[in-house]
Amino acid sequence: MSFFKKIFSSDKKDPNLSEQEKQTLDKGLEKSKTTFFTKLSKAVAGKTKVDDDVLDNLEEILVSSDVGVTTTLKIIGRIEKRVAADKYLGTSELNQILREEIASLLSENNTDDAVDYSIVKDVKPYVIMVVGVNGVGKTTTIGKLAGQFKKAGYSVVLGAADTFRAAAIDQLQIWADRVGVPIVRQQMGSDPASVAFDTLQSAVSQNADIVIIDTAGRLHNKVNLMNELTKVKRVMQKVVPNAPHDVMLVLDGSTGQNAFEQAKQFTAATEVTSLAVTKLDGTAKGGVVIGISDQFKIPVRYIGVGEGIDDLQVFNKYEFVDSFFK
């Protein structure tokens, strides 16, 4: 069995990804796929084999698809080795080769893909602190996560610690009401650490399974951000030792290279342990997930491919590449 067949064998795919979810993923990546393959078709027009011109054009296509320069050069390097080994490699095979090499690259990075919305079972409450700049879909992601955790049978408490924007508190309240989970909130301008402390106390008293804490989306000063998030962590640990158990950075996939920059700045400011990439359904920049997954060595845990609660999907790199090149 070839390496490609191994990584795309059924036991590697997400056993909980239903046919409907696969269709949602395919639809969510449609703009990215259409743009990419339109450019690829033009790049190989009139060519019968993969030569330097094709590789130069392919490099430009990958970079313009927001895969990122570093990851693009890795992919091109892999294909060049394939070309060197087979002097008569045809352009008709380029799609398959790309699919194999991108999947191979991603298989060497990060941890194994999650297969469900499971949490550490011997930690209760399991605390997730969500970070990210304003406008990336942070609060919406929290709401969708809460809905999916509840659907999976977990009890969830939300904490509105983004106290610098009244809209953020109100938006989180709307999601709490929509999915039917309790929320702890204070007035705008309150101390975020105080909200986090109260949230964890409430979760402990309710014997809740999961706590999701929203945080302020400011990034104008990394020192201030780091100090603020450190304070929130320290205060939470007075209630739940080792909290938070996951620091999730939410990135807007439609911003392309700006998402890379945000990831760099947030990972420099605080310890990020997982990523969620949103808004992939409305953009042709889906390649950004490939680059982010490759470069940051932090697992991309969720991707957003639609507006509905169930359109926030667990990221499985094999399913993603399979869908992208379908």
Side-chain angles (χ1 to χ4, degrees), residues 12-26:
K12 280 286 188 180
K13 292 189 178 185
D14 186 343
N16 294 325
L17 204 60
S18 66
E19 195 58 42
Q20 182 177 349
E21 288 171 325
K22 291 177 183 177
Q23 290 174 5
T24 299
L25 180 61
D26 292 344

Side-chain angles (χ1 to χ4, degrees), residues 113-188:
D113 288 296
V115 295
D116 56 24
Y117 291 89
S118 64
I119 59 173
V120 179
K121 297 193 180 343
D122 58 352
V123 176
K124 189 173 182 176
Y126 185 82
V127 182
I128 304 170
M129 184 168 75
V130 183
V131 301
V133 300
N134 296 331
V136 296
K138 182 161 54 76
T139 307
T140 300
T141 297
I142 292 170
K144 290 179 178 180
L145 275 178
Q148 294 191 7
F149 279 135
K150 183 181 178 185
K151 186 177 179 181
Y154 296 109
S155 55
V156 185
V157 176
L158 302 184
D162 183 356
T163 59
F164 293 91
R165 291 191 311 126
I169 300 173
D170 293 340
Q171 186 184 6
L172 195 63
Q173 180 71 63
I174 290 171
W175 272 104
D177 294 340
R178 182 181 299 174
V179 301
V181 299
I183 181 173
V184 175
R185 55 178 289 176
Q186 295 180 10
Q187 293 182 339
M188 180 183 170

Side-chain angles (χ1 to χ4, degrees), residues 201-215:
Q201 279 199 321
S202 176
V204 170
S205 68
Q206 297 176 52
N207 198 31
D209 296 310
I210 301 171
V211 175
I212 309 177
I213 303 288
D214 192 10
T215 62

Side-chain angles (χ1 to χ4, degrees), residues 12-312:
K12 280 286 188 180
K13 292 189 178 185
D14 186 343
N16 294 325
L17 204 60
S18 66
E19 195 58 42
Q20 182 177 349
E21 288 171 325
K22 291 177 183 177
Q23 290 174 5
T24 299
L25 180 61
D26 292 344
K27 184 179 178 181
L29 296 178
E30 191 61 42
K31 287 187 178 180
S32 294
K33 289 190 289 187
T34 301
T35 302
F36 181 84
F37 286 113
T38 298
K39 292 178 180 178
L40 187 61
S41 295
K42 291 180 180 178
V44 300
K47 298 279 187 177
T48 57
K49 69 175 185 175
V50 178
D51 56 17
D52 289 342
D53 286 341
V54 170
L55 289 174
D56 286 345
N57 289 334
L58 178 59
E59 182 177 324
E60 184 178 333
I61 292 168
L62 290 169
V63 171
S64 67
S65 299
D66 288 282
V67 172
V69 174
T70 302
T71 304
T72 292
L73 293 178
K74 289 182 184 178
I75 294 169
I76 295 297
R78 287 168 176 264
I79 294 176
E80 284 176 335
K81 288 182 180 179
R82 295 277 291 267
V83 172
D86 184 354
K87 299 295 184 182
Y88 300 99
L89 206 59
T91 53
S92 60
E93 301 168 273
L94 189 56
N95 179 20
Q96 179 75 1
I97 295 165
L98 262 174
R99 190 184 190 202
E100 291 179 15
E101 294 305 330
I102 290 174
S104 173
L105 180 67
L106 295 187
S107 73
E108 298 167 9
N109 292 284
N110 303 331
T111 58
D112 290 336
D113 288 296
V115 295
D116 56 24
Y117 291 89
S118 64
I119 59 173
V120 179
K121 297 193 180 343
D122 58 352
V123 176
K124 189 173 182 176
Y126 185 82
V127 182
I128 304 170
M129 184 168 75
V130 183
V131 301
V133 300
N134 296 331
V136 296
K138 182 161 54 76
T139 307
T140 300
T141 297
I142 292 170
K144 290 179 178 180
L145 275 178
Q148 294 191 7
F149 279 135
K150 183 181 178 185
K151 186 177 179 181
Y154 296 109
S155 55
V156 185
V157 176
L158 302 184
D162 183 356
T163 59
F164 293 91
R165 291 191 311 126
I169 300 173
D170 293 340
Q171 186 184 6
L172 195 63
Q173 180 71 63
I174 290 171
W175 272 104
D177 294 340
R178 182 181 299 174
V179 301
V181 299
I183 181 173
V184 175
R185 55 178 289 176
Q186 295 180 10
Q187 293 182 339
M188 180 183 170
S190 299
D191 181 11
S194 173
V195 177
F197 182 85
D198 288 351
T199 304
L200 264 62
Q201 279 199 321
S202 176
V204 170
S205 68
Q206 297 176 52
N207 198 31
D209 296 310
I210 301 171
V211 175
I212 309 177
I213 303 288
D214 192 10
T215 62
R218 300 168 303 149
L219 196 57
H220 61 276
N221 186 313
K222 283 192 284 186
V223 175
N224 284 348
L225 174 70
M226 183 163 56
N227 289 341
E228 182 179 299
L229 295 179
T230 299
K231 180 183 176 183
V232 171
K233 289 180 184 179
R234 187 173 64 248
V235 169
M236 286 196 293
Q237 287 170 3
K238 292 180 179 179
V239 185
V240 178
N242 300 320
H245 306 101
D246 183 11
V247 179
M248 182 181 295
L249 172 60
V250 179
L251 300 168
D252 179 350
S254 70
T255 63
Q257 291 304 299
N258 192 38
F260 277 93
E261 188 58 35
Q262 289 175 23
K264 287 178 185 176
Q265 293 190 45
F266 266 99
T267 52
T270 190
E271 184 183 0
V272 175
T273 54
S274 68
L275 300 170
V277 184
T278 65
K279 306 182 184 181
L280 292 175
D281 55 306
T283 181
K285 300 177 182 289
V288 72
V289 177
I290 296 169
I292 286 174
S293 179
D294 170 53
Q295 289 184 43
F296 286 97
K297 315 307 178 192
I298 300 170
V300 177
R301 193 153 293 164
Y302 303 104
I303 55 173
V305 289
E307 295 294 325
I309 288 180
D310 293 331
D311 294 336
L312 182 71

